[in-house]
Amino acid sequence: MSDEPVIIRDKAAMRSWSRSKRYSHGETLILALVPTMGFLHQGHLSLIQEAKKHAQLVVVSIYVNPGQFSPSEDLSTYPSDFQGDLRKLVEIGGVDAVFCPLNLYETTPSGLDLGRDFEEKAVSCVDGRGGHESWVRVERLEKGLCGKSRPIFFRGVATIVAKLFNIVEPDVAVFGKKDYQQWRIIRRMVHDLDFPINIIGSEIMRDPDGLAMSSRNVHLSAEEREKALSISQSLSKAKHNVQNGQHSCRELKKLVIQEITEAGGRIDYAEVVDQESLEPVDVIKCPVVFCVASWFGKVRLIDNIEINL
Amino acid sequence: MSDEPVIIRDKAAMRSWSRSKRYSHGETLILALVPTMGFLHQGHLSLIQEAKKHAQLVVVSIYVNPGQFSPSEDLSTYPSDFQGDLRKLVEIGGVDAVFCPLNLYETTPSGLDLGRDFEEKAVSCVDGRGGHESWVRVERLEKGLCGKSRPIFFRGVATIVAKLFNIVEPDVAVFGKKDYQQWRIIRRMVHDLDFPINIIGSEIMRDPDGLAMSSRNVHLSAEEREKALSISQSLSKAKHNVQNGQHSCRELKKLVIQEITEAGGRIDYAEVVDQESLEPVDVIKCPVVFCVASWFGKVRLIDNIEINL
């Protein structure tokens, strides 16, 4: 089947594939990258559809990035289904390559003795001793929202995306707006560090009942899933209220927090922020996004809704 | 004159020049970048000669990077002589382009209101309000040596080099070993973030009397210059002593500190460190580098000597 993507597991092979395809036929083809952590669902597939609109070549990366999980988080239980992912990619077609490296963080060159000091002060959850030590920080945008409860998360995200950009060398990369802060951070990093890449934000995909699609939804019990609908439902109500004149973020947050809490969710944050700077807003006067993170049982879900006056 | 380099001041023009030259004639040419802050001397020219050995195309960038100077440092007095630099580049020949942007840090898109909070907490010396906020940190290597007295220095260096790499897209980049820590940090960044670039370290160039060449030497009075020779002279003695069996770094540092201090220098640091990790060494058992920073009058000079047993 011609639509079967080539599977690449090695950095050097990925880069040379990319270069040979982009510059092969005397013309330059546009290559789009869709970075994922696998366990693909309709949300990911919509990113791939978006990528196809902007590029002649599409690469999907599948890599569960240890650099963005803290030791207490769910790296070991993050769901995966590589064969299922491949099947889905073949089905939707138009994916030219799947980049699925085993490990993107190499240890140091042999013979490097870092001394006792480094054994004691591990600087990253990736490798505390002699390994990876370069990190991209987007200092303001990484601080709020998910950054508060996950302090190393966006350092890990920005860094792995920089690595993927340098390996795959895409012209375009597509990120889902479900991870709104991530999308803004990547855009900011690309702007500030002059990556020659156009970053596309793709709209949130939802199940018919409104739940934002997420690989983590698989961990929800039927009951938890039902309760979790309170997130998207309360966000929709908040947007509706804004459109009817309620511009006080205190009132809007009260509504959302109350509905989610009453449904049985445990709020991590519920914030109305500027769409660009992600700075909290008191009264809605500019384009904002209402972002929520909430626990249902052992599952932390995030969702958001853009509100343009 | 055919050897006259093209002068490029704009990011987009630089990138498209680079791409068109690298991929133009049905073959792929190797491009080398030599990043400088201008006020070129023989040390820089030796980097360019080194670059020519590895590449068919050579780009020299000239940009005094505000991101690596703290407010109390010598950004405003850093010497410059653009016409003189160009003359030297034409003279040595083989430089294809000079990239000399006016400003590589753009401010934020208009209309972005970052709120009062950011006016008070400036996060960088580049632009404390609404501007650049993404930084590359090489967390361990940036800490010691020059990093102690210049805490934001290597953040600024790594970041501007990442920007230049993304704009110029070289295959090779040449750095002087005089800035030994910088060279190691860039190598580490390139390795950790998967930049597709080969980093070459070029040997220190010295005046006939032994003083390591530096743009800052122009600020030394004749008397200070004479005193500053104590750096290279004491480092040479230390290396000689190692070769004659003195492996105690305490003794070696004592010698260097004493000679420089007696000559009238004010030591910032004098450290014997592992060549890879830049971790301090007590007894020399592996390849080390003896690094010194010292003030003579208002001028801070650095120098180093590699010692391979």
Side-chain angles (χ1 to χ4, degrees):
Chain A
M1 186 170 170
S2 68
D3 247 358
E4 198 137 345
V6 54
I7 295 171
I8 303 175
R9 296 196 173 270
D10 176 73
K11 289 181 191 187
M14 182 68 244
R15 185 180 290 129
S16 75
W17 184 92
S18 168
R19 290 191 177 186
S20 71
K21 292 289 176 185
R22 285 171 76 208
Y23 297 104
S24 59
H25 308 288
E27 55 170 347
T28 308
L29 300 185
I30 305 292
L31 187 152
L33 171 67
V34 181
T36 82
M37 300 213 297
F39 209 70
L40 303 178
H41 51 64
Q42 281 299 324
H44 298 105
L45 303 183
S46 75
L47 304 181
I48 295 167
Q49 301 295 6
E50 184 68 32
K52 287 189 209 171
K53 293 184 203 161
H54 301 272
Q56 292 118 321
L57 296 163
V58 174
V59 175
V60 174
S61 66
I62 296 180
Y63 181 63
V64 180
N65 170 30
Q68 70 194 55
F69 289 82
S70 74
S72 64
E73 288 178 341
D74 58 349
L75 173 62
S76 62
T77 60
Y78 197 86
S80 78
D81 175 14
F82 186 61
Q83 290 310 321
D85 290 347
L86 277 187
R87 212 162 40 236
K88 286 170 193 162
L89 294 177
V90 171
E91 254 167 44
I92 69 159
V95 175
D96 300 281
V98 180
F99 180 48
C100 45
L102 283 181
N103 180 20
L104 281 182
Y105 299 91
E106 281 165 27
T107 50
T108 42
S110 65
L112 166 48
D113 175 14
L114 284 162
R116 248 184 323 153
D117 220 32
F118 287 142
E119 291 182 38
E120 287 152 26
K121 296 185 288 184
V123 294
S124 96
C125 59
V126 173
D127 183 351
R129 189 165 175 279
H132 185 97
E133 66 169 285
S134 306
W135 300 98
V136 180
R137 309 294 301 258
V138 182
E139 293 193 349
R140 286 190 290 252
L141 287 173
E142 74 174 20
K143 281 200 171 63
L145 303 175
C146 286
K148 278 185 190 164
S149 59
R150 307 186 74 185
I152 66 153
F153 180 63
F154 290 115
R155 183 188 80 159
V157 168
T159 302
I160 198 71
V161 170
K163 285 166 71 71
L164 287 169
F165 285 175
N166 283 337
I167 294 166
V168 180
E169 299 186 325
D171 306 287
V172 175
V174 184
F175 291 82
K177 286 196 193 177
K178 166 154 174 300
D179 300 302
Y180 202 90
Q181 188 175 12
Q182 168 176 287
W183 172 56
R184 284 295 181 195
I185 282 175
I186 298 304
R187 275 172 61 110
R188 186 77 224 184
M189 172 184 84
V190 162
H191 175 269
D192 285 354
L193 300 185
D194 294 303
F195 280 97
I197 300 169
N198 180 20
I199 303 299
I200 310 279
S202 194
E203 299 304 326
I204 298 175
M205 293 293 286
R206 298 182 181 281
D207 284 329
D209 57 12
L211 188 70
M213 290 184 186
S214 164
S215 301
R216 288 189 173 91
N217 291 353
V218 74
H219 292 313
L220 294 168
S221 68
E223 195 188 342
E224 285 162 352
R225 200 183 181 296
E226 186 64 30
K227 293 172 174 176
L229 298 180
S230 59
I231 304 179
S232 56
Q233 284 165 0
S234 62
L235 286 176
S236 287
K237 270 190 206 169
K239 180 171 183 169
H240 182 79
N241 290 358
V242 176
Q243 284 158 344
N244 286 315
Q246 176 57 276
H247 294 175
S248 157
C249 295
R250 205 166 75 108
E251 292 306 314
L252 296 163
K253 288 196 288 190
K254 210 161 99 179
L255 166 77
V256 167
I257 291 170
Q258 189 173 333
E259 296 222 350
I260 293 173
T261 308
E262 278 176 7
R266 182 162 58 81
I267 295 277
D268 179 1
Y269 63 78
E271 290 281 2
V272 183
V273 298
D274 180 282
Q275 281 182 18
E276 285 273 350
S277 71
L278 306 185
E279 278 298 295
V281 164
D282 289 332
V283 178
I284 298 179
K285 286 180 275 192
C286 55
V288 296
V289 54
F290 198 145
C291 296
V292 167
S294 177
W295 291 88
F296 287 86
K298 287 181 178 169
V299 188
R300 183 175 175 278
L301 299 176
I302 62 172
D303 198 352
N304 68 77
I305 197 163
E306 286 182 318
I307 305 174
N308 302 303
L309 279 188
Chain B
M1 185 170 171
S2 69
D3 247 357
E4 199 137 346
V6 54
I7 296 171
I8 303 175
R9 295 196 173 271
D10 176 74
K11 288 180 194 189
M14 182 67 243
R15 185 180 289 129
S16 75
W17 184 91
S18 169
R19 290 190 177 187
S20 71
K21 294 287 176 186
R22 285 171 77 207
Y23 296 103
S24 59
H25 307 288
E27 54 171 346
T28 307
L29 300 184
I30 305 292
L31 188 151
L33 171 66
V34 180
T36 82
M37 300 214 297
F39 209 70
L40 303 179
H41 51 64
Q42 282 298 326
H44 298 105
L45 302 183
S46 76
L47 304 181
I48 295 167
Q49 301 296 6
E50 184 67 33
K52 286 188 210 170
K53 292 184 204 160
H54 301 271
Q56 292 119 323
L57 296 164
V58 174
V59 175
V60 174
S61 66
I62 297 181
Y63 181 63
V64 181
N65 170 30
Q68 70 194 56
F69 289 82
S70 74
S72 64
E73 288 178 339
D74 58 348
L75 173 61
S76 62
T77 61
Y78 197 86
S80 78
D81 175 16
F82 186 61
Q83 290 310 321
D85 289 347
L86 278 187
R87 212 164 38 237
K88 286 170 193 162
L89 294 177
V90 171
E91 254 167 45
I92 69 158
V95 176
D96 299 281
V98 180
F99 180 47
C100 44
L102 283 180
N103 181 19
L104 280 183
Y105 299 91
E106 282 165 26
T107 50
T108 43
S110 64
L112 166 48
D113 175 13
L114 284 163
R116 246 183 324 155
D117 220 32
F118 287 141
E119 291 181 38
E120 288 151 25
K121 296 184 288 183
V123 293
S124 100
C125 57
V126 173
D127 182 353
R129 190 164 176 280
H132 186 97
E133 66 169 285
S134 306
W135 300 97
V136 180
R137 309 293 302 259
V138 182
E139 294 191 350
R140 286 189 289 251
L141 287 173
E142 74 174 21
K143 281 199 170 64
L145 303 176
C146 287
K148 278 187 188 161
S149 59
R150 307 185 73 185
I152 67 152
F153 180 63
F154 290 115
R155 183 187 80 161
V157 168
T159 303
I160 198 70
V161 171
K163 285 167 71 69
L164 287 169
F165 285 175
N166 283 337
I167 294 165
V168 179
E169 299 185 325
D171 306 287
V172 174
V174 184
F175 292 82
K177 285 195 192 177
K178 168 157 172 298
D179 301 302
Y180 202 91
Q181 188 175 12
Q182 167 177 288
W183 171 55
R184 284 295 180 193
I185 283 175
I186 299 304
R187 276 171 61 110
R188 187 77 223 183
M189 171 185 84
V190 162
H191 174 270
D192 283 354
L193 300 185
D194 294 303
F195 280 98
I197 301 170
N198 180 18
I199 303 298
I200 310 279
S202 193
E203 298 304 325
I204 298 176
M205 292 294 285
R206 300 183 180 279
D207 285 330
D209 57 11
L211 189 70
M213 291 184 185
S214 164
S215 302
R216 288 187 172 94
N217 291 351
V218 74
H219 291 313
L220 293 168
S221 69
E223 196 189 341
E224 285 162 352
R225 200 185 182 294
E226 186 64 28
K227 292 173 175 175
L229 298 180
S230 60
I231 305 179
S232 57
Q233 284 165 359
S234 64
L235 286 177
S236 286
K237 271 191 207 169
K239 181 170 182 168
H240 182 78
N241 289 359
V242 176
Q243 284 159 344
N244 286 315
Q246 176 57 274
H247 294 175
S248 156
C249 295
R250 205 165 76 107
E251 293 305 314
L252 295 163
K253 288 197 287 189
K254 209 161 101 181
L255 165 79
V256 166
I257 291 170
Q258 189 172 334
E259 296 224 349
I260 294 173
T261 308
E262 278 176 7
R266 182 162 58 81
I267 295 278
D268 179 1
Y269 63 78
E271 289 282 2
V272 183
V273 298
D274 181 282
Q275 281 182 18
E276 285 274 348
S277 71
L278 305 185
E279 277 299 294
V281 164
D282 290 332
V283 177
I284 298 180
K285 285 180 275 191
C286 54
V288 296
V289 54
F290 198 146
C291 296
V292 167
S294 177
W295 292 87
F296 289 86
K298 287 183 177 166
V299 188
R300 183 175 175 278
L301 299 176
I302 61 172
D303 198 351
N304 68 76
I305 198 163
E306 285 181 318
I307 305 174
N308 301 304
L309 279 188

